[in-house]
Amino acid sequence: MTYYTCEHTLEAMLSCIYDAWCSKKGHQNIELLLEPIDQYTLFDEYIHVDADMRKVEKVIDAVCRKISPTFYRELVYTYMAYEKHTLDNIYRCMILGFAYGANALKMMQYRDVMTHDQIRIRLGKEINRFQEFMRFHLLEGNVYVAHFEPKSRIVMALGPIFEDRMPSEHWMIIDDIHKEAVIHPKDEPFYHRTLTDQEFHRLLETDNYNDEYTAMWQNFFETIAIEERKNERCQLNHFPIWTRKHVVEFTS
C-alpha cells in the first residue's frame, strides 16, 4: 500500500489528491492520510506532499468543469474535520463524482458517501455549537477577543458568522488547538492567520482578562438559575463539557 500524506490545510490536501490521482498506482492501492501519522507500517510506502498552487488550481478546475462547482463546494466543506480519514474520504467521493456526476453525493448506497454525510453532519454541529457558545473578552482599545478549543479546524467557518454579527467592532477569534485565528478590523473584511509560537503565547494572556461585562454576565447567569429545575444531563446534551473551557459561565 502507498500512503500519500500532507498537512491539514486545504491547499495541501488538494495537492495530495492531485499527486495520488496522477500516480497511476490504482485507487485500490493507495490511501491518503493527514499528518501527523500516528504509526508507520514497515512494508508500506509513505509519500509526503507539499502544497502546490498549480496542482490546487488543476484539481479545482477539473472538479468544477467535469462535475460541478456545487459538488466541489459540498465535497471540500469537510476538509476542516479532525477525522484522519477525511482526506481519503474526499478522494473516494471525488472518484465517484467523476464516474457518476454531480449527484454522486446523494448515492447513499456507497459507504464513502455515507461516511462523507456523517462527517458533514458532525462538523455542522460543531460549528453551530461554537457560534452559540463563543464568549468574548473586551480588551483595552475596544478589541473583543475569544478563545476556543475545537476538534476540527472550524475557525474560518466562524469568521463570516461573527462578521455579520459584529461588523463595526474590532474582534479576534483564536483557535488554541490549531494555533490559528480570524481577525476582523472594524468595518472591514475578516482575514485568517496562522499564528507563530511567539504570537500564540502572547495571545494566550488575553484569555485571563476579565472585563466588567464578563463579571456582569457571570452574575446574570448565576442569578437567573433555578436550583429546582437544574438538569445536568440535559445541559450536557446541549453543552458538552469539552466545549466549556473558555465559556465564562463555567469559569471562576
Side-chain angles (χ1 to χ4, degrees), residues 6-17 49-52 56:
C6 66
E7 295 180 348
H8 194 169
T9 66
L10 180 59
E11 293 80 10
M13 291 168 72
L14 292 178
S15 300
C16 191
I17 289 172
V49 179
D50 290 317
D52 184 327
V56 171

Side-chain angles (χ1 to χ4, degrees), residues 13-23 54-55 58-59:
M13 291 168 72
L14 292 178
S15 300
C16 191
I17 289 172
Y18 178 89
D19 280 6
W21 197 290
C22 295
S23 68
R54 179 182 59 86
K55 298 175 183 177
K58 287 187 176 182
V59 172

Side-chain angles (χ1 to χ4, degrees), residues 144-207:
Y144 292 89
V145 177
H147 290 257
F148 76 130
E149 297 188 11
K151 294 180 180 179
S152 304
R153 308 188 72 147
I154 60 172
V155 69
M156 273 293 290
L158 295 172
I161 296 169
F162 286 94
E163 184 178 55
D164 184 61
R165 291 181 182 179
M166 305 162 64
S168 298
E169 302 289 350
H170 297 291
W171 55 259
M172 179 187 301
I173 299 175
I174 303 166
D175 179 346
D176 288 354
I177 297 294
H178 305 102
K179 296 183 180 180
E180 54 186 350
V182 287
I183 302 166
H184 179 266
K186 180 179 179 180
D187 296 323
E188 295 181 18
F190 76 91
Y191 60 92
H192 173 266
R193 181 177 177 84
T194 300
L195 303 173
T196 64
D197 289 339
Q198 183 178 3
E199 291 171 333
F200 176 70
H201 289 299
R202 185 171 181 178
L203 287 170
L204 276 180
E205 300 174 4
T206 63
D207 194 31

Side-chain angles (χ1 to χ4, degrees):
M1 180 70 73
T2 300
Y3 294 96
Y4 286 84
T5 70
C6 66
E7 295 180 348
H8 194 169
T9 66
L10 180 59
E11 293 80 10
M13 291 168 72
L14 292 178
S15 300
C16 191
I17 289 172
Y18 178 89
D19 280 6
W21 197 290
C22 295
S23 68
K24 307 298 182 182
K25 295 178 181 289
H27 299 313
Q28 72 279 7
N29 299 319
I30 60 178
E31 187 173 338
L32 282 62
L33 297 175
L34 292 172
E35 298 172 353
I37 307 301
D38 296 328
Q39 184 175 358
Y40 290 87
T41 51
L42 187 58
F43 299 107
D44 295 315
E45 180 184 10
Y46 291 83
I47 301 174
H48 169 78
V49 179
D50 290 317
D52 184 327
M53 289 309 300
R54 179 182 59 86
K55 298 175 183 177
V56 171
E57 291 170 1
K58 287 187 176 182
V59 172
I60 295 174
D61 177 69
V63 175
C64 292
R65 183 166 43 83
K66 296 182 180 180
I67 307 175
S68 76
T70 301
F71 180 90
Y72 170 77
R73 289 192 298 269
E74 291 183 0
L75 191 61
V76 300
Y77 171 80
T78 58
Y79 93 91
M80 299 177 286
Y82 71 89
E83 288 90 347
K84 287 290 186 180
H85 61 270
T86 296
L87 175 56
D88 194 67
N89 178 257
I90 293 174
Y91 179 72
R92 304 296 163 184
C93 290
M94 198 174 289
I95 294 171
L96 292 173
F98 281 113
Y100 299 109
N103 290 324
L105 292 180
K106 299 178 183 178
M107 302 170 70
M108 293 297 173
Q109 68 269 33
Y110 289 99
R111 183 180 61 182
D112 295 316
V113 177
M114 291 182 63
T115 300
H116 173 81
D117 195 55
Q118 291 166 359
I119 294 174
R120 185 181 181 87
I121 291 172
R122 188 207 57 75
L123 187 63
K125 288 181 178 179
E126 185 174 0
I127 293 170
N128 289 337
R129 279 196 174 116
F130 280 109
Q131 76 177 53
E132 295 170 3
F133 302 144
M134 192 70 65
R135 300 292 184 259
F136 288 85
H137 297 286
L138 179 60
L139 307 184
E140 296 179 3
N142 291 324
V143 179
Y144 292 89
V145 177
H147 290 257
F148 76 130
E149 297 188 11
K151 294 180 180 179
S152 304
R153 308 188 72 147
I154 60 172
V155 69
M156 273 293 290
L158 295 172
I161 296 169
F162 286 94
E163 184 178 55
D164 184 61
R165 291 181 182 179
M166 305 162 64
S168 298
E169 302 289 350
H170 297 291
W171 55 259
M172 179 187 301
I173 299 175
I174 303 166
D175 179 346
D176 288 354
I177 297 294
H178 305 102
K179 296 183 180 180
E180 54 186 350
V182 287
I183 302 166
H184 179 266
K186 180 179 179 180
D187 296 323
E188 295 181 18
F190 76 91
Y191 60 92
H192 173 266
R193 181 177 177 84
T194 300
L195 303 173
T196 64
D197 289 339
Q198 183 178 3
E199 291 171 333
F200 176 70
H201 289 299
R202 185 171 181 178
L203 287 170
L204 276 180
E205 300 174 4
T206 63
D207 194 31
N208 299 319
Y209 188 91
N210 289 322
D211 58 273
E212 60 177 318
Y213 296 105
T214 297
M216 289 172 60
W217 176 251
Q218 288 174 327
N219 184 55
F220 173 75
F221 182 77
E222 294 172 2
T223 302
I224 66 169
I226 302 174
E227 189 66 27
E228 293 75 14
R229 294 191 177 183
K230 183 180 292 185
N231 187 335
E232 292 187 359
R233 177 171 294 184
C234 180
Q235 189 181 65
L236 285 172
N237 288 335
H238 294 282
F239 207 155
I241 290 177
W242 68 272
T243 65
R244 299 182 184 184
K245 182 174 179 180
H246 302 277
V247 178
V248 297
E249 295 96 304
F250 299 97
T251 58
S252 57

